Amino acid sequence: MADQNSGDKPDLDMFGNKVLPIRDRRGRPSFKKDKDNQDFVVVRVAAGWTHKRIAEDMGVDEKTLRKHFSRELENGAVFVDGLMLDVLFKRVREGHTPSIRQLRERLAEAGPMAPRNKPAELEDDEDAEEKAAPIGKKEQRLQDAQVIPDDYGDIFAKMGRRH
């Protein structure tokens, strides 16, 4: 019995196989998402690469790419364009003349922006009524039930004070 617990022999299970550690990592190591990988995907999406091509270049499966980088795959071009505008605007603040011209051209191409957060007072009532979705029968009944009729009065007055 003393030799069963000695540290000299490798640990064996009841079938005689070597006992493996609990966290045995077999197969492909799990993927680690980091900022460099995100930038890598964003730039390639903005350049028009397919998901398959990006996954091959990264050395991962397409499913792994979609799982970890869904946001980047969907909005990559927007991220890159925004980043370029940020850099351009920083150069404009520094007084870089070619950047000023380039930013003006970009803004002229964009055209006038639609007004955002328009106050409710400025909206036309007619437009609001046209945009209102039609309501169903149940909703109409609920709204009608909230309206108090003019002839509604004291219930005792209708009973003729019989009690």
Side-chain angles (χ1 to χ4, degrees), residues 55-109:
E56 286 174 359
D57 201 22
M58 288 182 74
V60 298
D61 190 49
E62 280 186 76
K63 290 181 181 178
T64 304
L65 180 72
R66 286 192 302 266
K67 175 182 176 185
H68 292 284
F69 299 100
S70 61
R71 200 170 132 240
E72 289 82 1
L73 290 171
E74 193 173 315
N75 301 318
V78 174
F79 293 155
V80 170
D81 197 38
L83 184 63
M84 288 190 299
L85 282 172
D86 291 342
V87 170
L88 192 58
F89 190 67
K90 182 179 177 188
R91 294 295 308 250
V92 166
R93 284 192 170 195
E94 293 170 356
H96 189 246
T97 307
S99 297
I100 295 171
R101 182 185 47 79
Q102 208 171 19
L103 183 61
R104 274 193 179 160
E105 289 173 2
R106 294 270 313 255
L107 295 176
E109 289 173 10

Side-chain angles (χ1 to χ4, degrees), residues 9-53:
K9 295 183 181 179
D11 292 332
L12 302 175
D13 64 6
M14 58 192 251
F15 300 111
N17 297 326
K18 190 174 177 181
V19 175
L20 298 173
I22 293 173
R23 300 191 122 242
D24 183 30
R25 296 289 183 180
R26 295 183 183 181
R28 186 179 287 204
S30 62
F31 181 77
K32 301 277 191 248
K33 178 180 178 180
D34 60 5
K35 185 67 177 156
D36 292 335
N37 289 339
Q38 286 178 303
D39 291 344
F40 183 89
V41 171
V42 163
V43 169
R44 277 146 186 82
V45 167
W49 285 28
T50 64
H51 294 186
K52 182 178 181 182
R53 187 173 174 194

Side-chain angles (χ1 to χ4, degrees), residues 115-148:
R116 289 190 168 87
N117 299 328
K118 191 163 127 180
E121 306 152 0
L122 299 178
E123 290 182 12
D124 294 336
D125 292 329
E126 297 169 1
D127 292 340
E129 289 175 347
E130 289 176 11
K131 291 179 184 178
I135 58 174
K137 293 178 184 177
K138 287 183 182 179
E139 186 64 30
Q140 184 63 47
R141 285 187 200 137
L142 288 172
Q143 287 180 4
D144 292 344
Q146 299 299 320
V147 177
I148 301 172

